[in-house]
């Protein structure tokens, strides 16, 4: 069972922000911004590649609520989902990073010279 499924079923603890029947939001263990929340569907979905429009609809309003609850809705924030190896996805359970609380830097390549791409 993946680590996020273990959080869903209570086997692993999490610093919870908000939860409803379908989704959970909890603080990232290794925050990359003053506010760094992970939003997951309770039902296991490997990544964005497999998500349905129905789940996306619920995720959208849930993420909007989370941004309000953590106080970053007006100041601004970033919503990211990493997909697969090149996307840097480490946990193979769909999750959205909701990052805010400070001005965020933009963009990087992990191990390549950017001039090779443009
Ligand atoms: P990704 O690289 O997009 O798969 O992101 C996985 C994220 O999960 C990373 O930012 C980790 O810090 C975070 N993470 C891993 N395990 C836990 C956990 N038990 N509770 C909260 N966040 C976690």
């Amino acid at each position: 069972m993946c680590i996020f499924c273990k959080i869903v079923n209570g086997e692993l603890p999490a610093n919870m922000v908000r939860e409803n029947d379908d989704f959970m939001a909890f603080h990232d263990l290794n925050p990359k911004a003053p506010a760094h929340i992970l939003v997951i569907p309770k039902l296991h979905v490997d990544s964005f590649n497999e998500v349905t429009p129905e789940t996306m609809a619920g995720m959208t309003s849930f993420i909007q609520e989370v941004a309000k609850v953590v106080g970053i809705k007006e100041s601004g924030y970033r919503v990211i989902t990493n997909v697969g190896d090149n996307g840097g996805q480490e946990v193979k359970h769909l999750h959205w990073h909701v990052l805010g609380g400070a001005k965020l830097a933009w963009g990087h390549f992990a191990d390549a010279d950017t001039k090779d791409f443009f």
Side-chain angles (χ1 to χ4, degrees):
M1 185 184 290
C2 83
I3 55 170
F4 289 172
C5 282
K6 287 185 178 170
I7 288 174
V8 171
N9 73 17
E11 267 182 69
L12 277 181
N15 187 358
M16 206 63 62
V17 170
R18 203 167 184 80
E19 180 179 0
N20 68 17
D21 287 347
D22 300 318
F23 304 103
M24 270 184 174
F26 50 87
H27 291 275
D28 196 292
L29 264 188
N30 181 21
K32 295 175 183 66
H36 185 172
I37 315 301
L38 298 177
V39 172
I40 65 167
K42 289 185 174 178
L43 195 68
H44 183 93
V45 176
D46 284 346
S47 80
F48 183 74
N49 278 338
E50 291 80 22
V51 75
T52 63
E54 292 72 26
T55 300
M56 284 303 301
M59 287 283 256
T60 301
S61 47
F62 189 74
I63 289 169
Q64 290 165 345
E65 271 178 49
V66 167
K68 194 172 177 184
V69 166
V70 298
I72 59 174
K73 185 174 178 184
E74 303 308 330
S75 53
Y77 57 98
R78 185 171 296 157
V79 181
I80 297 172
T81 185
N82 296 325
V83 184
D85 287 345
N86 275 356
Q89 184 181 5
E90 287 172 7
V91 178
K92 308 300 191 232
H93 180 131
L94 175 64
H95 53 281
W96 300 86
H97 297 262
V98 181
L99 299 138
K103 215 170 242 316
L104 302 169
W106 176 245
H108 68 279
F109 294 100
D111 55 8
D113 190 334
T114 56
K115 74 180 179 333
D116 295 340
F117 295 99
F118 304 108

